[in-house]
Amino acid sequence: MKLFLTPNKAWGLVRAWVPLEAVLWLLGLSLLALMDPHEAHLFSFCPFSWMLDTGCPGCGLGHGIAYLARGDWPAMWASHPLAVPAVVLLLWRCGKLLYFHRKYDHQLYTKKNYGKYPPSDAGPGAR
Amino acid sequence: MASILHLMPDLEPDEMSYVQTLVQNMSDKEAHQFASIYRSRRREPTLLLVTTLVGFFGVAGIQRFIVGQIGLGLLYFFTGGLCFVGTIVDLINHKRLAYEYNVKQAEQVMAMMFGQYGGRGGYGM
């Protein structure tokens, strides 16, 4: 039996509709927002935290975003003061990416096809 | 019918097909003028790749400053590239960042040359 929507196909569809960068930001932000900030710290992917005790300049940002999603402002500020600007900037960036995608990629696609078959009676200024 | 391939063979494929739609109806002289202005304004994806790699060893976010995204550049700078996550995203995404910036620059060059976005016979006409 043939699957209609393989994971590869689904990913291709997603990428045709939204830019990859926006998908990654939104996915990351929602994962951090859903994370429980009170859980024990198990493992960090950050190479700085393996080597230094003080951690890297971004340490606590994830926790900050999780506290922000729960409305705990003092805890958010304590874990990383840049959590609010980070969320605002990333969402702003996603908006711009979606706008760009809509404006140019769609336009490029339609124009590319049009350019291949120019109408025979097109004047000098016509597309 | 000017062809951007002859004027700027070093463009990325996506970028080339977009710029070709702009140059299509220009005379050769206009296309030459467009190419010389655009060449000085566009950014190479390689430049973005190299400055992104700098983020792994020291200062993160230079690539975002280069494409004019000051806010995200500052955020990257002060958080070590969002704990390397942003730096890795940009590593994968550097061609797209360059494309986005270059499309905007191409539009501005069109506006400079013809006084309107989309150029002669553009969307406004």
Side-chain angles (χ1 to χ4, degrees):
Chain A
M1 193 184 145
K2 227 171 142 188
L3 267 177
F4 281 109
L5 203 64
T6 58
N8 253 343
K9 254 191 194 170
W11 183 238
L13 271 177
V14 168
R15 289 199 55 181
W17 280 96
V18 276
L20 175 67
E21 201 189 326
V23 175
L24 288 174
W25 290 142
L26 293 175
L27 192 72
L29 281 177
S30 36
L31 281 181
L32 284 175
L34 292 173
M35 176 186 82
D36 184 8
H38 302 295
E39 247 174 61
H41 203 283
L42 290 176
F43 175 75
S44 173
F45 289 105
C46 177
F48 273 127
S49 69
W50 305 340
M51 290 180 280
L52 304 168
D53 287 333
T54 49
C56 87
C59 267
L61 199 59
H63 275 74
I65 291 169
Y67 281 124
L68 184 67
R70 280 157 188 77
D72 192 347
W73 291 81
M76 181 275 291
W77 184 265
S79 47
H80 204 295
L82 274 179
V84 173
V87 172
V88 171
L89 278 167
L90 289 179
L91 289 179
W92 174 253
R93 172 78 183 139
C94 287
K96 287 201 91 161
L97 276 169
L98 293 175
Y99 175 75
F100 181 88
H101 188 74
R102 219 182 121 75
K103 187 170 175 199
Y104 290 100
D105 292 354
H106 175 69
Q107 177 186 313
L108 181 61
Y109 177 74
T110 47
K111 268 197 185 172
K112 226 195 291 188
N113 286 346
Y114 190 64
K116 272 182 198 159
Y117 311 102
S120 52
D121 57 350
R127 291 248 161 188
Chain B
M1 279 293 268
S3 166
I4 201 69
L5 181 64
H6 299 304
L7 291 168
M8 304 178 78
D10 51 329
L11 297 190
E12 298 288 314
D14 273 5
E15 192 185 352
M16 194 174 281
S17 54
Y18 176 71
V19 173
Q20 181 60 47
T21 63
L22 298 178
V23 172
Q24 208 126 48
N25 296 315
M26 290 184 193
S27 68
D28 279 347
K29 202 180 156 203
E30 285 168 337
H32 265 284
Q33 192 191 6
F34 175 86
S36 66
I37 305 174
Y38 179 58
R39 186 175 290 124
S40 66
R41 289 175 150 243
R42 69 184 285 270
R43 297 272 193 260
E44 277 291 330
T46 322
L47 175 70
L48 294 189
L49 181 62
V50 171
T51 48
T52 306
L53 286 173
V54 171
F56 285 113
F57 303 104
V59 189
I62 308 173
Q63 75 276 15
R64 295 279 174 170
F65 285 121
I66 286 178
V67 294
Q69 298 170 14
I70 309 298
L72 276 173
L74 286 171
L75 181 67
Y76 274 42
F77 182 81
F78 286 116
T79 60
L82 293 172
C83 288
F84 290 109
V85 175
T87 306
I88 293 167
V89 167
D90 284 0
L91 200 63
I92 301 162
N93 209 31
H94 68 278
K95 285 201 170 172
R96 186 74 200 169
L97 279 178
Y99 173 70
E100 201 183 327
Y101 181 80
N102 290 336
V103 163
K104 279 176 196 154
Q105 293 306 312
E107 282 235 312
Q108 279 184 16
V109 176
M110 291 300 281
M112 280 163 58
M113 285 177 66
F114 302 108
Q116 82 182 56
Y117 277 69
R120 220 176 39 171
Y123 323 113
M125 286 173 89

